[in-house]
Amino acid sequence: MSEPAFEVDSRRDIYQHIAANPGVHFRELCEACSYAQGTIQYHLNWLADAELIDVADDGKYTRYYAAAEFDDADQAVMNALRREYSRRVLAHLLADGPLSTQELSDRLDKAESTVSWHLSNLADADLVTKQRKGRRVSYAVTDPDRVRYLYTIHRRSFTDRVVDRLLGLWDGY
């Protein structure tokens, strides 16, 4: 392709939004950028074909990352952190884990089935592990340092003060 990667304002804006908000999905891009959906889709395809962005599927959304900034494990963490209740589950597990589905349900004020669904997705992504002691099943974060680091670095793009308070990260870094 003959046009330079960032000569086009709309492409540059879309790329910059992806770089500032790793793991952003299409609808979020449409809300944040003032371009038509077709324009955004065209530039996303162009950026992906030029290998300037990575495209990841988290099972529900297609998410976008600046190329080579996140490996697969980091993308899995960011995919989870982009979902509000998965982010909160991870925060409670980091702060006080391991915890059971019942304990997380009480803390999040969500049905156990909802919490179980999020835990299942987190386990499928290898972000949490299940530990059984007798009849009690509890969950813990697989790589807490990675999750804390990525949350801390990108916390401004999540705007979740509940998680910030739980992890005490505003003053920690």
Side-chain angles (χ1 to χ4, degrees):
M1 296 188 185
S2 61
E3 60 186 302
F6 300 113
E7 186 175 278
V8 179
D9 290 341
S10 53
R11 183 177 303 137
R12 183 178 49 253
D13 292 345
I14 292 165
Y15 179 84
Q16 288 173 341
H17 190 78
I18 291 169
N21 300 279
V24 66
H25 63 78
F26 184 75
R27 245 188 343 240
E28 290 174 324
L29 276 170
C30 290
E31 290 172 10
C33 299
S34 60
Y35 304 110
Q37 288 183 5
T39 300
I40 293 172
Q41 190 62 57
Y42 170 81
H43 289 302
L44 288 172
N45 290 336
W46 194 98
L47 290 164
D49 289 345
E51 298 182 354
L52 294 170
I53 62 170
D54 292 329
V55 181
D57 185 356
D58 75 356
K60 184 175 181 182
Y61 296 107
T62 301
R63 297 190 178 274
Y64 303 96
Y65 296 89
E69 286 191 32
F70 296 89
D71 62 18
D72 290 343
D74 286 347
Q75 285 183 11
V77 171
M78 291 300 292
N79 289 347
L81 290 174
R82 286 273 167 225
R83 291 187 305 269
E84 179 183 359
Y85 283 98
S86 291
R87 181 173 56 249
R88 290 182 181 190
V89 166
L90 288 169
H92 281 285
L93 291 175
L94 287 170
D96 300 318
L99 298 168
S100 69
T101 304
Q102 170 78 45
E103 291 167 323
L104 286 164
S105 174
D106 292 343
R107 289 167 182 240
L108 295 169
D109 196 28
K110 287 288 180 190
E112 282 188 53
S113 60
T114 300
V115 173
S116 179
W117 183 86
H118 287 286
L119 286 167
S120 177
N121 287 339
L122 292 169
D124 289 346
D126 294 324
L127 298 179
V128 298
T129 57
K130 189 187 294 190
Q131 303 166 351
R132 183 176 292 278
K133 289 184 182 177
R135 292 175 44 110
R136 178 181 163 82
V137 177
S138 58
Y139 296 84
V141 177
T142 305
D143 189 349
D145 291 338
R146 180 187 302 260
V147 175
R148 274 191 193 97
Y149 174 77
L150 289 170
Y151 182 81
T152 302
I153 296 300
H154 300 287
R155 73 177 182 249
R156 293 194 200 293
S157 69
F158 302 128
T159 62
D160 193 338
R161 298 204 189 282
V162 170
V163 174
D164 291 338
R165 282 194 306 272
L166 266 173
L167 298 179
L169 293 176
W170 281 114
D171 299 321
Y173 288 89

